[in-house]
Amino acid sequence: TLPSIAGVNNQFLPTDGNGITNWRTVMPVVRLGPGGSMPPVSSFATLDVRAGGSTPNEAVTVLDFDDASDEFIDWKVVLPINYTGGGLTARYKFTATTASNGGVLWSGGFRTMVNADDVDVSHTYDYNNQAMTVASVAGVVATGSILFASGSDMDSLSAGDEFIYRTRRFSTDSGDTAD
């Protein structure tokens, strides 16, 4: 059964398995990689290159987070204008330099950068933390996610808002066990 109203941009018609369809919105994917990152003034992860295994070696750009002290990296991002709420999921892909067991405690937080915000005023990031297990072989990509609910969990972001997304490796926490 088709819906009685027309869809709008960024919508599609899936079926629920019983032949009933309803318009669904496609949420855009915003990719944040090492090349687009901005280090904070201090305690930052460094931009590095990991040599691939082919001949000649590929140069895989990575962010190198210390395993002995907390380090941070920032991205300046605009929340897509077709964001309709419901929170966000930050997906992490990472490798360990030498570790083949243990976990990394990643944290993510937001700072809204709307017109009235003063960047010279201190902002306290409200981090969400997630332990993620490293791959069983150093150099193999491991993945994990951090979930953020709409509202204050995302510093009250709205569609079209500019913001800073900050990632922290919380290596001084007991939950971070990878070297």
Side-chain angles (χ1 to χ4, degrees):
T1 306
L2 292 175
S4 60
I5 59 170
V8 295
N9 287 340
N10 298 318
Q11 288 191 319
F12 66 103
L13 272 174
T15 181
D16 67 357
N18 296 315
I20 298 174
T21 57
N22 290 303
W23 289 109
R24 302 288 171 120
T25 301
V26 177
M27 283 305 300
V29 174
V30 178
R31 297 188 187 280
L32 307 177
S37 65
M38 306 177 309
V41 174
S42 62
S43 303
F44 54 88
T46 54
L47 198 58
D48 201 355
V49 174
R50 186 173 185 125
S54 300
T55 303
N57 299 97
E58 305 91 353
V60 180
T61 306
V62 298
L63 289 165
D64 195 355
F65 286 84
D66 191 10
D67 62 355
S69 60
D70 295 349
E71 289 187 331
F72 305 81
I73 199 71
D74 298 336
W75 288 270
K76 197 171 190 181
V77 187
V78 173
L79 191 62
I81 59 170
N82 62 338
Y83 173 72
T84 57
L88 295 173
T89 301
R91 291 186 171 86
Y92 285 66
K93 291 183 176 185
F94 64 99
T95 61
T97 303
T98 58
S100 58
N101 61 48
V104 176
L105 188 62
W106 293 109
S107 304
F110 296 86
R111 179 180 186 164
T112 304
M113 303 294 291
V114 295
N115 294 337
D117 285 344
D118 184 347
V119 296
D120 295 326
V121 174
S122 179
H123 175 78
T124 301
Y125 284 85
D126 182 18
Y127 290 107
N128 286 8
N129 301 317
Q130 183 63 51
M132 301 179 200
T133 304
V134 299
S136 60
V137 175
V140 172
V141 176
T143 61
S145 298
I146 300 177
L147 305 176
F148 298 92
S150 289
S152 63
D153 209 22
M154 299 169 29
D155 200 25
S156 301
L157 287 172
S158 297
D161 283 353
E162 187 174 50
F163 64 95
I164 292 175
Y165 180 74
R166 175 168 281 180
T167 288
R168 167 182 67 181
R169 179 175 178 187
F170 200 4
S171 60
T172 57
D173 186 87
S174 61
D176 191 300
T177 58
D179 292 331

